[in-house]
Amino acid sequence: MIQMDEKIQGIYQEVLKRNPGETEFHQAVLEVLECLGPVIVKHPNFADRKIIQRICEPERQIIFRVPWMDDNGEVQINRGFRVEFSSALGPYKGGLRFHPSVYLGIIKFLGFEQIFKNSLTGLPIGGGKGGSDFDPKGKSDDEVMRFCQSFMTELYRHLGEHTDVPAGDIGVGGREIGYMFGQYKRITNRYEPGVLTGKGLTWGGSLVRTEATGYGATFFVNEMLKARKDSFEGKICTVSGSGNVAIYTIEKIHQLGGKCVACSDSNGVIYDEKGLDLDLIKQLKEVERRRIEDYIKTHKHAKYIAKGNIWEIPCQVAMPSATQNEINGKDAATLVKNGCIAVGEGANMPTTPEGVKLFLEAKIAYGPGKAANAGGVATSALEMQQNAGRDSWTFEYTEKKLEDIMINIHNNCFETADEYGAPGNYVLGANICGFIKVANAMVAHGLI
Ligand code: NDP
Ligand code: 2IT
């Protein structure tokens, strides 16, 4: 990684001081700032206009109480967040995460990453993120509904197709988007599909949105492999997580000729030497909402490793698709030692800075989340486009658009890395390419 110049170091110190305790946010900011030294040299007006300082400060942060009643008639209170980070390129756009670990630092790291990711898609979307420390695990359908209704009863006033358009993330899928859309419609008395993405197909959703993040990440890795005159054909792959992103990553890997032998959840790892049975995983996770451990009840030959570490399983392609900081320095070293040649991040910031450094030094094909997982939000933008035109596109047409977007992101990151003297460094390419577009728009909009 390039040495940070003094000016940027000072900006980073100020971010630490202004945002105490928000370690994930600090990590995300540092990774971007470390890449911007040469950009400031080429574009001195960005420094004059204090673009970096401004981009590190969200335009608006909303924190609110979410009271709801559980099935036992007991009152529960959670905390809701929406961080509207940047509207330089379009309305705030980004998912909602429901997970007990959520606090402001997590939402701000995700919102910050989202600015550059959304810029890379080439589509007119700004960056934002939200969520709650609500834990959907073990809750009944009715409890999830009551929570979502209460959450939207506050959030609705901040949304709008030209203002802020949330979608899903960890713990938020089609079911939750449905309950939130219903409540939005009820409060406002307006049928406005453009206010949320990831909707059901019969009420304004887009084909391919469900598959988009996983498919997109796999398309991105496919491009990195192609750039090295290689392909997925016959590659042994591992994919962490077993949620939305993991499932459709596995599906696309299999379609492209790879063999995915392991996935996981926060309790343990499934290893199936014969290749994962995706129909079973979909049934367990999407239909029955069970734990991945139950895979071995049907497939006795497979192994379940309770509290296991998926990165210890040898693979050629690893696609972390669960959560932040799930690959540390030691895991990265193990992956490289075991012959891993490509890592594509379906999750947001799944690799620690030590891990990233190791991947870059080993010169494996490493696709950072803000580039590799941009297919989800890109397809959300395609959903917005269809909603605005009261249209709905076919699966094939939409998937082709997604693939073209991912190829474009890959090529832009690749070429930017070359231009800045760091060939093959997609971290540098993604951060610089994503940043410049936002910075130029901010300069054009004046001091706001
Ligand atoms: P889901 O809720 O569908 O699935 C999350 C998966 O990750 C589950 O298997 C879950 O296991 C595991 N997981 C979550 N938190 C942890 C944790 N703290 N430790 C270990 N495992 C964990 O979420 P998604 O698949 O939508 O999201 C996965 C990742 O992809 C996230 O980083 C998200 O930000 C990112 N992403 C998602 C996009 C989308 O469109 N959905 C778009 C771009 C990025 P368990 O069930 O045990 O909790
Ligand atoms: O991290 C992400 O890009 C998402 N969770 C998807 C956001 C979106 O608006 O589709």
Side-chain angles (χ1 to χ4, degrees), residues 8-324:
I8 296 186
Q9 181 62 250
I11 299 173
Y12 179 61
Q13 290 308 322
E14 193 59 28
V15 168
L16 293 181
K17 216 164 78 194
R18 290 171 68 80
N19 305 278
E22 297 175 0
T23 51
E24 296 83 0
F25 178 52
H26 304 160
Q27 184 183 334
V29 169
L30 180 60
E31 191 208 275
V32 173
L33 264 50
E34 276 180 336
C35 298
L36 296 183
V39 179
I40 295 301
V41 175
K42 262 198 191 175
H43 302 264
N45 60 330
F46 292 168
D48 293 345
R49 307 316 294 166
K50 296 207 172 163
I51 295 296
I52 302 179
Q53 291 92 324
R54 279 157 62 195
I55 223 169
C56 290
E57 184 69 22
E59 289 176 15
R60 191 175 297 106
Q61 307 184 54
I62 303 144
I63 304 182
F64 51 100
R65 179 169 67 197
V66 189
W68 57 282
M69 183 88 72
D70 71 17
D71 287 345
N72 298 321
E74 198 175 315
V75 170
Q76 300 287 341
I77 295 133
N78 285 100
R79 188 170 291 172
F81 302 89
R82 187 72 182 166
V83 174
E84 298 179 333
F85 230 113
S86 168
S87 60
L89 297 180
Y92 310 108
K93 182 83 197 86
L96 297 169
R97 176 177 293 191
F98 293 170
H99 192 273
S101 64
V102 163
Y103 76 107
L104 188 58
I106 295 263
I107 300 299
K108 275 166 70 175
F109 116 65
L110 290 163
F112 185 74
E113 291 276 289
Q114 201 83 44
I115 305 172
F116 308 103
K117 181 195 305 191
N118 294 5
S119 163
L120 286 170
T121 66
L123 300 164
I125 39 180
K129 201 85 186 190
S132 173
D133 57 0
F134 173 74
D135 185 359
K137 262 193 222 116
K139 302 289 189 299
S140 71
D141 226 56
D142 284 344
E143 288 176 324
V144 170
M145 179 182 72
R146 288 195 293 273
F147 174 81
C148 289
Q149 290 176 337
S150 180
F151 185 83
M152 188 50 96
T153 300
E154 170 60 33
L155 190 64
Y156 88 96
R157 72 190 78 249
H158 305 288
L159 307 184
E161 68 171 309
H162 302 296
T163 307
D164 187 350
V165 185
D169 193 80
I170 291 176
V172 178
R175 173 181 63 170
E176 291 74 19
I177 295 292
Y179 294 145
M180 287 190 269
F181 183 72
Q183 184 72 350
Y184 180 90
K185 182 164 66 69
R186 186 177 193 194
I187 295 174
T188 59
N189 192 29
R190 288 170 66 88
Y191 201 105
E192 285 189 74
V195 87
L196 285 167
T197 60
K199 298 181 294 296
L201 296 177
T202 56
W203 41 277
S206 171
L207 284 163
V208 192
R209 178 62 190 89
T210 303
E211 295 83 357
T213 311
Y215 277 21
T218 314
F219 285 140
F220 190 91
V221 172
N222 199 33
E223 290 309 302
M224 293 199 298
L225 291 171
K226 274 201 229 160
R228 294 169 177 232
K229 314 237 172 309
D230 205 343
S231 78
F232 264 107
E233 201 57 53
K235 295 273 183 312
I236 300 295
C237 309
T238 56
V239 175
S240 64
S242 48
N244 171 263
V245 178
I247 286 173
Y248 293 95
T249 298
I250 298 168
E251 184 159 286
K252 188 49 80 180
I253 288 174
H254 286 172
Q255 286 173 12
L256 294 178
K259 179 163 137 184
C260 191
V261 295
C263 68
S264 62
D265 64 16
S266 56
N267 296 356
V269 177
I270 286 290
Y271 175 62
D272 187 341
E273 203 181 5
K274 293 186 183 168
L276 291 169
D277 175 352
L278 192 60
D279 289 340
L280 175 59
I281 295 175
K282 283 186 183 175
Q283 178 66 26
L284 289 172
K285 300 301 300 179
E286 294 185 327
V287 182
E288 298 171 19
R289 294 184 187 273
R290 283 161 63 183
R291 307 299 296 164
I292 200 64
E293 180 178 0
D294 291 345
Y295 185 93
I296 54 169
K297 288 188 180 153
T298 308
H299 287 311
K300 307 261 189 268
H301 66 272
K303 284 198 189 78
Y304 176 67
I305 312 152
K307 296 269 157 257
N309 181 350
I310 192 170
W311 312 122
E312 288 171 5
I313 296 171
C315 67
Q316 290 152 300
V317 178
M319 298 195 60
S321 307
T323 193
Q324 64 278 353

